[in-house]
Amino acid sequence: MTIKDLQPALVWNIFDQITKVPRPSKKEAKIREWLIGFAQEHNLEHKVDAIGNVAMFRPAAPGKENVKGIILQAHMDMVCEKNKDSKHDFDNDPIETIIDGEWVCANGTTLGADDGMGMAIALAVLTDPAIVAGPIEGFFTVDEETGLTGASNVGEGMLKGDYLLNLDSEDDGIITMSCAGGIDTLATFDYKPLAAPEDLVYFEIKLSGMNGGHSGTDINTERACATRLIARLLWDLRSSVEYELAHVDAGNLRNAIARDAEAVIGVKDFDKEKLSIAFNTFVATVKEEFKNSEPNLFGTIESVDAPAKVIAREDAERIINTVYAAPHGVLSVSLELEGLTETSTNLSSIKMKEEGVIEVVTSQRSAVESRKYDACHRVETVFKLGGGKVRHSDGYQGWAPNKNSKILKTAVKVWSDLYGVEPKVEAIHAGLECGLFLKALPTLDMISYGPTLLGVHSPSERCHIPAVQKSWDFTLGIIEAVTKE
């Protein structure tokens, strides 16, 4: 069985086509061309704005011209994460999908159901001849995962509708009515590169096997952050052995909790045993600390050839101290909405971008605009104390809840009628594009929902097959209810 054999067949067949098109963030040209071809093949009017967003328009059925318009919205790009042993090339290779019981996953990479499944549902609605409804639009944005630049720069006339259904949520039976805003912080640290001492032996240390996950929805799950752990390890080793730091690397994407980290250090030959004992003690300690949330965490230490350069010791200590001191995780919880993370920061990555420069990236989120900026200023202050040069992204606004939303009330009734139980209505700590669409069309009434996805932004990403059917039926039910208004 392949995913094309799953139900609803129209949705899964379109999703199968989407998985074959490379679509990393900021590299959406191939998926945009595919979408344009899809619109042309199905005789759908379409537009592309200056930023690269694509809109498709299905006209109202005869007699339904006065029905309120519905926009089905999803983003084109996907998070490109893979296991260390994967040879996958996200710029060129199709995603290799696997059916595992009731789940669809990928072979060692992210699946891209975030938000490829949202795209598939929207495109299926646009082309299903059995649907009789008012005007329907499919709106597909670029660069949701790394900057929300598509949603921030919607072209004139791209959004035409009264209700917007954002198909980018990840929990079956939950309707989202609000989301956090966010802002990224990037710090660069200069260091002096020195010739690697020849009287040292060098080792590569790695911390791996962590779950990673979404820096919004998973930040409150007490998962280990590899970026923080490698800084903690390098700080901790100083009390046991003198070493020179030649290389450090952790994490990849600003909106993913780091899963892996590595460093190369040099020690005197007579300190090899001290290093081994200190490293193994550290790994045993953190495995015990994270035994419930990170059962597969492990560390390795292997000898390597001497590098050409090391980082001047005073610079290495300054940078490691700074990264270790930087906050990570939940900073505050909401006192208005029970269980909602209000403010957080993700210590995303450490990268040696070029000789003499180390880059550290963090991502802050909050449901409260002032606290979003408070979090990024706190991170900025730590980095500046460590000698870093700091800049922030433009950020994006949150989506405030509207308890009087008509489309929300309609959706709650549709779900209740379909499944005999009321859906959960909630605000989320992750970022959605909804708040930004209000700049382009202030009258929009919106909700967000989608099938169950687990492990998003990591190679363990998987999509629940039965939930896709439920999301499809739910979408059809909303369209039918709006048509009867």
Side-chain angles (χ1 to χ4, degrees):
M1 178 181 286
T2 68
I3 62 173
K4 291 188 290 185
D5 301 310
L6 301 174
Q7 296 295 325
L10 181 57
V11 174
W12 283 106
N13 272 268
I14 294 173
F15 181 71
D16 180 64
Q17 295 176 56
I18 291 170
T19 64
K20 293 177 169 56
V21 185
R23 50 193 179 94
S25 299
K26 301 189 185 297
K27 297 180 179 180
E28 294 95 345
K30 291 179 181 178
I31 190 65
R32 180 164 45 249
E33 289 305 309
W34 181 86
L35 284 167
I36 292 169
F38 185 96
Q40 293 170 338
E41 178 185 351
H42 293 90
N43 298 312
L44 293 166
E45 179 191 351
H46 66 278
K47 290 183 178 181
V48 181
D49 63 16
I51 201 69
N53 300 319
V54 176
M56 300 181 194
F57 304 95
R58 170 175 167 156
K64 306 297 181 184
E65 292 83 1
N66 294 323
V67 171
K68 289 193 174 182
I70 295 175
I71 303 166
L72 299 165
Q73 188 270 323
H75 61 84
M76 299 181 210
D77 59 322
M78 65 174 282
V79 168
C80 297
E81 283 278 280
K82 63 182 180 180
N83 291 329
K84 288 286 188 180
D85 58 354
S86 173
K87 305 298 183 185
H88 187 88
D89 178 359
F90 283 105
D91 289 343
N92 297 291
D93 297 341
I95 299 296
E96 183 182 344
T97 55
I98 298 169
I99 297 176
D100 182 10
E102 290 190 340
W103 299 88
V104 171
C105 55
N107 184 15
T109 70
T110 38
L111 173 64
D114 173 18
D115 192 20
M117 185 52 69
M119 292 173 65
I121 291 172
L123 292 169
V125 168
L126 288 168
T127 55
D128 186 345
I131 295 174
V132 178
I136 297 175
E137 175 182 348
F139 186 59
F140 309 102
T141 50
V142 298
D143 194 30
E144 188 271 349
E145 298 290 4
T146 62
L148 292 161
T149 55
S152 299
N153 297 277
V154 176
E156 186 177 351
M158 292 293 285
L159 291 173
K160 298 179 180 180
D162 302 281
Y163 300 135
L164 186 142
L165 309 180
N166 171 272
L167 303 171
D168 191 25
S169 289
E170 299 150 7
D171 292 289
D172 180 49
I174 296 178
I175 299 173
T176 301
M177 61 179 291
S178 175
C179 71
I183 191 168
D184 302 331
T185 301
L186 184 149
T188 55
F189 297 88
D190 296 331
Y191 69 87
K192 184 178 181 180
L194 302 174
E198 297 179 359
D199 61 341
L200 301 183
V201 289
Y202 291 87
F203 294 88
E204 182 178 61
I205 53 180
K206 292 184 177 181
L207 299 172
S208 303
M210 286 159 271
N211 288 313
H214 192 292
S215 64
T217 56
D218 297 320
I219 199 72
N220 63 338
T221 58
E222 297 300 323
R223 297 183 185 183
C225 170
T227 308
R228 188 175 189 281
L229 282 189
I230 197 70
R232 176 181 169 184
L233 169 60
L234 292 170
W235 188 93
D236 199 58
L237 288 177
R238 292 283 185 206
S239 63
S240 301
V241 61
E242 289 189 359
Y243 68 83
E244 303 296 339
L245 177 63
H247 173 77
V248 61
D249 184 274
N252 286 303
L253 302 173
R254 59 151 188 93
N255 55 0
I257 300 170
R259 298 178 294 113
D260 303 286
E262 60 188 42
V264 174
I265 63 175
V267 299
K268 296 287 188 180
D269 187 71
F270 56 76
D271 276 336
K272 290 190 297 184
E273 185 174 354
K274 284 184 181 179
L275 173 62
S276 178
I277 292 171
F279 176 77
N280 290 324
T281 299
F282 177 87
V283 172
T285 298
V286 295
K287 281 178 68 69
E288 175 63 23
E289 289 177 2
F290 292 98
K291 62 184 178 183
N292 295 316
S293 60
E294 300 287 0
N296 299 315
L297 190 160
F298 69 94
T300 60
I301 180 167
E302 296 180 350
S303 61
V304 293
D305 294 337
K309 300 288 181 66
V310 297
I311 302 169
R313 185 177 295 187
E314 62 272 19
D315 291 333
E317 289 188 1
R318 170 175 55 84
I319 295 168
I320 292 305
N321 288 348
T322 303
V323 178
Y324 186 32
H328 170 82
V330 176
L331 300 179
S332 65
V333 296
S334 174
L335 298 180
E336 294 183 31
L337 297 171
E338 185 177 355
L340 175 67
T341 299
E342 183 183 78
T343 309
S344 73
T345 181
N346 178 45
L347 189 55
S348 309
S349 63
I350 306 173
K351 297 292 177 186
M352 299 180 73
K353 290 292 187 179
E354 57 187 80
E355 187 173 277
V357 178
I358 288 177
E359 178 183 280
V360 181
V361 175
T362 72
S363 180
Q364 289 69 237
R365 301 176 188 266
S366 184
V368 179
E369 280 289 288
S370 60
R371 285 191 167 176
K372 177 181 77 176
Y373 288 105
D374 176 54
C376 80
H377 294 155
R378 177 179 170 187
V379 171
E380 175 185 358
T381 300
V382 173
F383 287 157
K384 283 186 173 179
L385 285 170
K389 302 169 186 174
V390 181
R391 61 182 176 86
H392 304 291
S393 69
D394 292 336
Y396 56 93
Q397 68 188 56
W399 168 29
N402 175 14
K403 294 184 178 180
N404 296 317
S405 164
K406 189 170 183 180
I407 193 63
L408 175 61
K409 293 176 181 177
T410 297
V412 168
K413 184 178 187 308
V414 169
W415 186 275
S416 301
D417 290 346
L418 281 172
Y419 305 115
V421 59
E422 279 202 4
K424 183 178 180 181
V425 177
E426 68 174 21
I428 62 169
H429 190 56
L432 292 170
E433 297 166 291
C434 297
L436 295 168
F437 295 140
L438 292 173
K439 295 193 300 182
L441 192 57
T443 57
L444 275 177
D445 190 1
M446 300 176 287
I447 58 170
S448 178
Y449 63 91
T452 298
L453 306 179
L454 297 180
V456 294
H457 296 189
S458 79
S460 63
E461 180 187 358
R462 53 203 183 276
C463 177
H464 194 225
I465 296 167
V468 173
Q469 181 70 63
K470 291 175 73 176
S471 281
W472 173 246
D473 294 339
F474 183 43
T475 302
L476 296 183
I478 293 173
I479 293 170
E480 181 180 0
V482 170
T483 303
K484 293 178 179 178
E485 285 182 358

